[in-house]
Amino acid sequence: MAGSANPGIPLIMIGRTKTISWGITAALTDVSDLYREKLSFSGDQYFLDGEWKDLEVVSHSLKVKGKDEPVRFDIKYTHRGPVITSQIIKNAQVLFGSQIPIHDDLGSFSLVWAGHYTGESMFALLQDMMRSKTLYDVKKGVRKVKQWRSIPANIVMADKSGNIGYMLLSSSPMRKGEYPYLGCRVMDG
């Protein structure tokens, strides 16, 4: 087996065995939605379905080279995802299919993203691919994954018998209304 891996991921992301080879790239599918949130004056609750709900607060700390103390910060979450500001949205084209949603410069938004869902499909798929002898074996491995729980991925592959294949794996949101949104909307929370 030979290939390339990302730091922190103990599997070959782009590689080959004696019988199969594969490559994976990020699929820039539209798997993000923004919701305008009404936050309480204290900033610890959000308004949903006629009542105030508590925001979940998750504390983080990052070690920074050259600093004695880690940088500490909190991220607030609604049931949909993290609360973000307009400033973050302005610099996040990749989350919205390279088109920034039209929004005002004030307020808070929650971000729904397919990558937030619990579970992980990429590891199971890569493990199966590294053990596969043919593309038909890879296809069997993909069928074992009931619902894709990872970032959207383009996967190209080939086997020693001359078979080639492509898969786009993505958890796409089921939205009401007009399709496609093309990443340019903000919905009321």
Side-chain angles (χ1 to χ4, degrees), residues 27-69:
L28 298 180
T29 59
D30 182 9
V31 294
S32 303
D33 290 320
L34 283 178
Y35 287 84
R36 185 180 320 279
E37 298 294 352
K38 180 179 179 182
L39 300 184
S40 65
F41 183 73
S42 63
D44 59 357
Q45 292 185 314
Y46 66 106
F47 199 71
L48 177 70
D49 297 332
E51 61 182 287
W52 291 100
K53 305 273 186 179
D54 290 337
L55 288 165
E56 179 184 356
V57 179
V58 178
S59 297
H60 299 273
S61 74
L62 295 174
K63 293 180 181 179
V64 177
K65 185 176 180 177
K67 300 279 186 183
D68 293 335
E69 294 294 318

Side-chain angles (χ1 to χ4, degrees), residues 70-119:
V71 175
R72 291 176 170 58
F73 60 96
D74 293 335
I75 298 178
K76 296 178 180 180
Y77 291 84
T78 69
H79 71 289
R80 288 185 272 268
V83 176
I84 61 176
T85 64
S86 294
Q87 191 60 37
I88 293 171
I89 296 167
K90 286 179 184 177
N91 297 307
Q93 295 94 333
V94 73
L95 292 176
F96 306 103
S98 75
Q99 185 176 358
I100 299 293
I102 298 168
H103 65 287
D104 54 38
D105 283 340
L106 301 172
S108 296
F109 304 86
S110 61
L111 173 67
V112 179
W113 177 54
H116 287 155
Y117 302 128
T118 58

Side-chain angles (χ1 to χ4, degrees), residues 16-35:
R16 64 177 172 79
T17 65
K18 291 180 180 178
T19 58
I20 189 169
S21 61
W22 64 92
I24 299 175
T25 63
L28 298 180
T29 59
D30 182 9
V31 294
S32 303
D33 290 320
L34 283 178
Y35 287 84

